[in-house]
Amino acid sequence: MAEKKLSGQTALVTGANSGIGEGVAISLGEAGANVVVNYVVNPDAANAVVDRIKAAGGNAVAIQADVSKEDQVISMFQQAVQQFGTIDILVNNAGLQRDAKFHEMTLAQWQLVIDINLTGQFLCAREAVREFLRRGMVADRSVALGKIICMSSVHELIPWGGHANYATSKGGIKMLMQSLAQEYGGQKIRVNSICPGAIKTPINKSAWDTPEAYNSLMTLIPYNRIGVPEDIGKLAVFLASDDSDYITGASIFIDGGMTVFEGFSTGG
Ligand SMILES: NC(=O)c1ccc[n+]([C@@H]2O[C@H](COP(=O)([O-])OP(=O)(O)OC[C@H]3O[C@@H](n4cnc5c(N)ncnc54)[C@H](O)[C@@H]3O)[C@@H](O)[C@H]2O)c1
């Protein structure tokens, strides 16, 4: 059985009823954390994640909130603290795409992506920091006051035509994450980003669900396989645990080498 590195801690994972968030919630639960499984739609999928964590001997609860709505985020954190006493780990994962050519992009497409992917991370991180500061250090639980993990993307580095709203949201997450790491490092709050490449989830189904699409995707990935949510879950456990205590303000790319730009392997 895996060592329970997060025993006695509580993690809140946004958008945890699908894809990467689901994988991260399950990994954190397996590592011993109580898990708040946030969802906005599809409570059945959220309850299935809760059931899976409980079946493995963990503790979890599903809480509905739209991360882009201030009142709902505040209420979610209040419910979580009521349930588990505090929050030690926030995984800011919820996100979506609304793709369009830039000159055809509507303000609604732009605003929705910024509201959920970027403002949602601001609202959740602010409540998490408030809770870390309110609670104070607890001996023997973690050497950090709290940990925030932002789900960014290789697109905080790689520009992405046809997805300007999404790439902009991820570029913004990079500066949000680093500013928080700088502002709260002295109070022992660690803030880092996970930057996935292509992970097999519903958000990018069209990039992997036919052999043609999959083969085309592989031309971008030196390691020659698509990622899976468990890959991200293992990294999230590491970043949430004291094993990574000297890591803060970092963007960690987990992408099978996508950001070494394979197209240049033969001279460009
Ligand atoms: N899959 C990839 O290849 C990939 C690569 C890089 C980054 N990411 C990032 O990983 C994160 C998770 O994406 P995924 O691939 O698991 O996609 P997904 O569509 O499976 O999951 C996204 C989750 O966010 C939730 N969500 C959307 N709007 C929300 C809101 N307003 N409030 C609360 N939850 C909301 C969805 O309901 C869903 O649970 C996103 O931030 C995405 O940008 C994914």
Side-chain angles (χ1 to χ4, degrees):
M1 182 180 277
E3 193 188 342
K4 304 271 186 193
K5 288 183 182 292
L6 302 177
S7 284
Q9 300 193 49
T10 297
L12 188 156
V13 184
T14 65
N17 62 345
S18 175
I20 290 174
E22 175 176 353
V24 166
I26 289 166
S27 295
L28 294 174
E30 284 171 355
N34 306 313
V35 185
V36 176
V37 175
N38 161 254
Y39 68 99
V40 64
V41 291
N42 199 352
D44 290 348
N47 289 328
V49 177
V50 167
D51 289 346
R52 209 171 138 187
I53 293 169
K54 286 184 172 171
N59 202 359
V61 64
I63 301 181
Q64 184 178 26
D66 178 337
V67 296
S68 68
K69 301 285 190 299
E70 185 176 29
D71 56 338
Q72 295 184 31
V73 169
I74 290 171
S75 164
M76 170 171 67
F77 273 79
Q78 284 169 345
Q79 292 172 61
V81 171
Q82 213 166 23
Q83 179 80 23
F84 291 121
T86 191
I87 295 286
D88 304 279
I89 301 152
L90 166 67
V91 183
N92 254 337
N93 167 78
L96 47 63
Q97 292 179 211
R98 288 293 181 272
D99 308 329
K101 285 190 175 304
F102 184 71
H103 67 280
E104 291 167 355
M105 189 174 285
T106 63
L107 178 58
Q109 286 172 320
W110 171 268
Q111 198 65 57
L112 184 75
V113 171
I114 298 298
D115 283 352
I116 293 172
N117 293 16
L118 185 56
T119 306
Q121 294 220 7
F122 156 70
L123 290 171
C124 293
R126 191 184 61 178
E127 291 316 301
V129 170
R130 287 173 174 170
E131 173 56 21
F132 300 158
L133 296 173
R134 180 200 70 78
R135 183 229 316 129
M137 277 290 187
V138 179
D140 299 332
R141 193 186 288 168
S142 172
V143 295
L145 187 68
K147 283 88 48 159
I148 297 175
I149 299 168
C150 303
M151 204 56 68
S152 183
S153 165
V154 291
H155 295 297
E156 73 165 48
L157 176 74
I158 305 175
W160 205 15
H163 310 258
N165 46 2
Y166 183 84
T168 302
S169 74
K170 297 302 184 181
I173 288 168
K174 176 173 189 268
M175 273 298 146
L176 174 65
M177 178 277 288
Q178 290 185 323
S179 300
L180 295 185
Q182 190 190 66
E183 189 168 343
Y184 293 101
Q187 280 141 300
K188 293 278 184 192
I189 297 173
R190 293 194 297 110
V191 192
N192 292 291
S193 285
I194 293 177
C195 303
I199 311 299
K200 193 174 181 183
T201 75
I203 209 174
N204 58 359
K205 193 166 187 286
S206 62
W208 51 261
D209 72 342
T210 65
E212 297 73 34
Y214 190 84
N215 290 337
S216 164
L217 181 63
M218 286 309 109
T219 66
L220 300 175
I221 303 175
Y223 205 59
N224 216 30
R225 76 162 169 87
I226 193 165
V228 290
E230 295 74 40
D231 292 316
I232 310 298
K234 289 175 197 165
L235 178 55
V237 169
F238 172 66
L239 286 176
S241 79
D242 287 347
D243 286 350
S244 60
D245 188 52
Y246 206 48
I247 301 180
T248 193
S251 289
I252 302 189
F253 289 81
I254 173 162
D255 62 358
M258 187 180 269
T259 42
V260 299
F261 300 105
E262 189 176 25
F264 284 83
S265 63
T266 52

